[in-house]
Amino acid sequence: RSEVTGKRYPVEATSGTVIFLLRVVSCLRGIAVSLGCQHSYLLAFAKYARQALRTSLTASIFVPPSAFAPRNVLEAELHKVTAELCAGGDALGLQVVVFRHGVLEAEFAWGEMGPLDPRPVKPDALFCAFSCGKALGVLLVHILVDRGLLASLDDPVCRYWPAFADAGKGSITVRQVLEHKSGLAHAMPSFSGQQTAGAAVRLLCDFDQMSRWIATAHPEPAQ
């Protein structure tokens, strides 16, 4: 409560650092209005915010120096390109794996985990890939069409996967699946509240169980 009025004021419960930041933003806004120009305050602060966050994280963890010893000429050449990409700001960190005829020819990692995470990338580091795998899936489907293993993108999926026809999905085509028009965008298994995160992940990675689940999933009606 205020010692003067006895009332509660939000500013008195706010960190002094936050108050200072808000006042600086107000000052910058006033200057920009007076000069008749537009200015991105967040853009101006971004560089210093990243530096502060990175410094804070570096101080709390041990960051081992990056080291790499190529095992063959291919790894040496690939590492040279990878290091140049990271040094030039075109990449933060990369994992490189090359197989030829089923034989591992090169495998290494380089760079950092993120713009605010200075830990070195390792071959077994995990990343959130989000939709990056979709391009590979679509490419593989087109290769199957090119090789005649799929007659047409307009064939119903159930022609190649009979179980998929369940729950009214018999008319859904391969093309509709690739174009996200199958009505299955939000089809996900229901996990019980007692199920651990690890168990849920293992279920999602179980090909047979997920195949059975997708085959019996009900599509959403077209919007």
Side-chain angles (χ1 to χ4, degrees):
R1 294 178 182 274
S2 170
E3 296 180 356
V4 178
T5 64
K7 297 181 179 180
R8 295 181 182 274
Y9 296 97
V11 69
E12 296 181 358
T14 305
S15 166
T17 304
V18 175
I19 294 175
F20 177 76
L21 174 64
L22 294 175
R23 287 177 176 172
V24 169
V25 170
S26 297
C27 179
L28 289 174
R29 183 183 294 112
I31 294 174
V33 171
S34 298
L35 297 176
C37 63
Q38 295 183 346
H39 181 71
S40 173
Y41 317 114
L42 294 181
L43 187 61
F45 293 150
K47 174 182 176 180
Y48 305 99
R50 284 194 292 266
Q51 289 178 350
L53 290 171
R54 186 179 176 88
T55 300
S56 175
L57 181 60
T58 304
S60 62
I61 63 174
F62 171 69
V63 182
S66 298
F68 176 71
R71 295 170 292 184
N72 52 49
V73 176
L74 177 60
E75 279 195 347
E77 291 299 320
L78 290 173
H79 175 259
K80 179 181 178 181
V81 175
T82 301
E84 290 175 352
L85 289 172
C86 292
D90 295 311
L92 288 172
L94 296 168
Q95 294 167 318
V96 180
V97 179
V98 177
F99 279 90
R100 183 172 183 270
H101 301 310
V103 178
L104 179 64
E105 300 287 354
E107 181 183 18
F108 67 91
W110 191 255
E112 298 179 343
M113 291 291 291
L116 305 178
D117 190 344
R119 293 175 299 167
V121 176
K122 297 180 180 179
D124 60 351
L126 298 178
F127 291 94
C128 292
F130 291 100
S131 297
C132 294
K134 293 179 181 178
L136 293 177
V138 172
L139 174 62
L140 291 174
V141 171
H142 281 80
I143 290 176
L144 292 175
V145 173
D146 183 64
R147 295 180 178 179
L149 299 176
L150 288 179
S152 170
L153 293 179
D154 295 310
D155 284 343
V157 176
C158 61
R159 174 177 176 179
Y160 308 97
W161 184 10
F164 186 82
D166 193 19
K169 300 192 298 296
S171 62
I172 294 176
T173 65
V174 176
R175 187 185 301 276
Q176 287 175 318
V177 171
L178 297 180
E179 293 179 346
H180 299 274
K181 296 179 179 178
S182 65
L184 298 171
H186 299 101
M188 288 290 291
S190 57
F191 301 110
S192 66
Q194 304 298 322
Q195 199 169 28
T196 64
V201 171
R202 285 192 292 274
L203 173 60
L204 291 173
C205 295
D206 188 314
F207 180 81
D208 292 332
Q209 287 198 52
M210 287 303 298
S211 296
R212 289 192 294 270
W213 189 87
I214 293 174
T216 58
H218 291 261
E220 295 181 350
Q223 300 297 323

